[in-house]
Amino acid sequence: MTTPSATSVPTVKLLIDGKFVESTTSEWMDVTNPATQEVLARVPMATAYELSAAVSSARAAFKTWRKTSIGTRARIFLRYQQLIRDNMAELAAILTAEQGKTLPDAEGDVFRGLEVVEHAASIGNLQLGEFANNVAAGVDTYTLMQPLGVCAGITPFNFPAMIPLWMFPMAIATGNTFVLKPSEQDPMVTMRLVELAMEAGIPPGVLNVVHGGKDVVNGICDHPDIKAVSFVGSTAVGTHVYNRATGTGKRAQCMMGAKNHMVVLPDADKEQTLNALAGSAFGAAGQRCMAIPVVVLVGESQTWLGELVERAKTLKVNAGHEPGTDIGPLISRAALDRVHRLVESGESEGARLELDGRKPAVPGYEDGNFFGPTVFSQVNTEMSIYREEIFGPVLCVLHAATLDEAIELVNANPNGNGTAIFTRSGAAARHFQEEIDVGQVGINVPIPVPVPLFSFTGSRGSKLGDLGPYGKQVIQFYTQTKTVTSRWFGEDDVGGVNTTITLK
Ligand code: NAD
């Protein structure tokens, strides 16, 4: 860690009470371009005082924001979606520089978040209560879905545009105020999105941003004025956040690690299947929570392994901004070291290395964190490469004799984020859909991240908390349902003392 005065590199600002301000901390981290190691900016580890100021500002803003009309809230997000569209190329370029993914994939990252902003703009149709007329004579019951107060979001490095946009637009559109803690590894595109949100008309204090790592996250979990915490990241950290936040009475939703399996039946369209598999296993250098790091080849489809490896070899490893790149660098040296360690363990534990992506040649970017597409066959469920989340471009190939054997294997894995089946048989696909114990299922679709008409619905070891981000479920998450039962007395109403619990 260094101090910002040591260099002329720009600093990433905090957003507190509507102002972008320099942190007073003495702890800073470099934000580096993973293709070149160039230091792009320095990000502060905000102090406890700064977190407290952000929460106080959000708490004060809640008093008026919670009463803001539906139309006013919706129009801010209508303006915001246009601003994101207008600035798409700049947003993608910032994202690629600090995160590494290819420019088209960076646009996809922004676009999948933009869809949530569009959804937030229809808040008038989403945050509707229920009404029952005459639940007793002259008595009506209805519900109000009221905002909770200050909510917080903690986001990972791999989707620095989409995942912050899963959180603050929906929380704010439902009448809450928000404190965002972006990933310290790539906070710059998130901050550009935050600037655009303020330009769209979000009032001071309604959205605040603090940067940092463990201490700031713990501060969020413990803060008595924060009512709900949304987290996306690894299983270890998410479990800690869930326990710590709920332990202080907060609502929490934690979307965590994954080990997604694709099941391939021999009747599948071979071309489509292998293209989808290569794209989802190696795209974004395998750093997607909905990547496919495990394929289960069923029956005769085992003979497709050679063609799969040939396809993987055609993918171009290069800096994300270079035209024609398929696979950019990994986020950090630490991530690169982890992938190297796991590939070595795969070899020593007896898997067969069909394609070795270690140390790919990337002329002009010799210092980048590159790892090429890697394929292991003869993988079993005891090996570290199967048990751990590699989060790199490494595909494990397993075999199953039947669809039911494949389903059993997927269901025995502790993770439940996503899965996919490739087949031409409707009956087999339906059987899979019914029997598979995973929250998000693709049928001939490799990365089934639901659009915001639905919610993200990971399950089992990949999720803690009942309600998912964005979509319908998050309206419940960010609101408290109040049930009102009301009676208005007319002049002619006569009463008497009623000592029972029934309404008359
Ligand atoms: P991470 O868990 O390291 O970091 C996530 C957030 O937690 C960051 O903001 C970070 O600052 C903070 N953090 C890190 N260490 C902490 C600690 N010890 N205590 C408290 N806070 C801490 O995750 P990452 O490496 O940024 O992201 C990759 C992980 O996220 C993968 O496991 C991936 O599967 C998962 N992910 C899941 C989903 C999903 O929807 N299920 C989506 C994207 C990413």
Side-chain angles (χ1 to χ4, degrees):
M1 295 210 188
T2 52
T3 55
S5 55
T7 74
S8 57
V9 171
T11 53
V12 183
K13 305 292 183 278
L14 309 175
L15 173 63
I16 298 177
D17 208 25
K19 296 183 198 71
F20 290 93
V21 293
E22 186 90 314
S23 173
T24 59
T25 186
S26 56
E27 286 181 55
W28 296 75
M29 265 184 63
D30 290 344
V31 179
T32 51
N33 180 327
T36 62
Q37 310 305 337
E38 179 197 355
V39 178
L40 302 171
R42 289 177 201 279
V43 62
M45 305 290 108
T47 64
Y49 176 80
E50 288 162 344
L51 172 61
S52 168
V55 177
S56 297
S57 164
R59 190 177 169 203
F62 181 63
K63 288 190 191 124
T64 45
W65 182 249
R66 64 190 278 266
K67 295 182 181 161
T68 308
S69 73
I70 293 168
T72 302
R73 282 181 273 144
R75 280 188 289 274
I76 288 174
F77 289 99
L78 281 172
R79 279 195 293 276
Y80 190 29
Q81 65 81 28
Q82 190 59 49
L83 283 169
I84 294 174
R85 280 176 202 283
D86 293 347
N87 290 278
M88 180 62 92
E90 182 205 353
L91 290 162
I94 299 171
L95 201 162
T96 293
E98 64 178 341
Q99 204 276 349
K101 64 179 70 173
T102 66
L103 278 173
D105 203 29
E107 284 210 9
D109 189 330
V110 178
F111 184 79
R112 294 308 306 265
L114 171 64
E115 290 179 316
V116 181
V117 176
E118 292 168 343
H119 190 66
S122 54
I123 191 62
N125 288 320
L126 302 171
Q127 199 174 355
L128 291 175
E130 296 171 313
F131 187 96
N133 194 204
N134 286 323
V135 293
V139 177
D140 302 324
T141 296
Y142 52 95
T143 56
L144 308 175
M145 297 180 78
Q146 298 193 313
L148 302 175
V150 182
C151 300
I154 301 158
T155 56
F157 81 84
N158 66 332
F159 283 97
M162 177 182 81
I163 293 176
L165 292 175
W166 280 3
M167 296 181 184
F168 73 80
M170 297 309 297
I172 290 173
T174 47
N176 300 281
T177 56
F178 206 78
V179 177
L180 177 67
K181 206 299 287 171
S183 170
E184 67 278 32
Q185 299 193 81
D186 48 12
M188 295 170 71
V189 70
T190 315
M191 289 314 286
R192 186 70 190 111
L193 284 164
V194 165
E195 283 170 11
L196 295 175
M198 300 309 282
E199 200 178 319
I202 291 183
V206 171
L207 174 60
N208 299 271
V209 185
V210 287
H211 300 286
K214 186 177 175 185
D215 292 344
V216 175
V217 169
N218 286 342
I220 287 172
C221 295
D222 295 346
H223 201 296
D225 292 336
I226 294 176
K227 304 296 176 203
V229 176
S230 301
F231 171 91
V232 179
S234 63
T235 302
V237 178
T239 305
H240 164 76
V241 166
Y242 187 83
N243 291 336
R244 194 151 173 160
T246 56
T248 58
K250 295 174 179 53
R251 285 189 188 177
Q253 52 172 198
C254 298
M255 307 303 125
M256 307 186 293
K259 198 80 181 177
N260 307 313
H261 295 55
M262 179 197 275
V263 173
V264 177
L265 298 192
D267 68 354
D269 180 317
K270 189 176 5 170
E271 281 299 300
Q272 296 280 5
T273 304
L274 293 180
N275 286 339
L277 179 54
S280 56
F282 307 120
Q287 299 174 115
R288 292 183 186 130
C289 61
M290 294 297 278
I292 301 279
V294 181
V295 61
V296 186
L297 299 175
V298 177
E300 287 296 300
S301 70
Q302 294 175 30
T303 58
W304 299 0
L305 177 61
E307 280 179 71
L308 171 65
V309 170
E310 289 311 310
R311 201 147 314 204
K313 281 184 190 165
T314 65
L315 298 176
K316 280 205 192 70
V317 181
N318 206 343
H321 65 272
E322 294 286 359
T325 302
D326 296 303
I327 301 177
L330 294 166
I331 184 70
S332 63
R333 288 281 181 203
L336 187 64
D337 290 347
R338 187 191 60 240
V339 178
H340 272 283
R341 173 180 60 78
L342 280 160
V343 168
E344 278 154 29
S345 81
E347 281 186 303
S348 63
E349 290 176 19
R352 187 162 145 184
L353 194 52
E354 303 279 354
L355 180 63
D356 187 350
R358 282 176 285 201
K359 300 205 169 73
V362 187
Y365 298 96
E366 284 74 13
D367 289 337
N369 308 326
F370 294 101
F371 205 101
T374 298
V375 179
F376 275 113
S377 66
Q378 297 177 16
V379 177
N380 69 46
T381 57
E382 300 304 313
M383 293 176 178
S384 310
I385 49 170
Y386 180 80
R387 284 186 292 104
E388 288 188 39
E389 186 179 24
I390 302 174
F391 228 51
V394 181
L395 178 64
C396 295
V397 182
L398 281 80
H399 295 152
T402 62
L403 173 58
D404 281 327
E405 196 181 306
I407 290 172
E408 204 175 311
L409 194 142
V410 178
N411 288 348
N413 189 284
N415 298 281
N417 209 40
T419 188
I421 184 168
F422 275 66
T423 177
R424 281 196 177 96
S425 161
R430 194 165 189 288
H431 179 66
F432 184 79
Q433 160 201 304
E434 293 298 299
E435 298 304 322
I436 207 76
D437 187 10
V438 174
Q440 292 165 125
V441 180
I443 296 175
N444 298 319
V445 175
I447 314 178
V449 175
V451 296
L453 299 173
F454 303 88
S455 299
F456 194 87
T457 52
S459 65
R460 295 198 282 124
S462 297
K463 180 184 180 191
L464 284 167
D466 297 328
L467 299 169
Y470 68 84
K472 289 182 184 152
Q473 293 186 11
V474 93
I475 306 292
Q476 296 279 347
F477 182 77
Y478 286 136
T479 61
Q480 172 66 46
T481 304
K482 191 181 273 178
T483 309
V484 182
T485 300
S486 80
R487 162 189 279 165
W488 296 97
F489 298 110
E491 299 261 317
D492 301 334
D493 283 324
V494 282
V497 176
N498 177 11
T499 57
T500 71
I501 63 161
T502 45
L503 287 167
K504 289 184 180 151

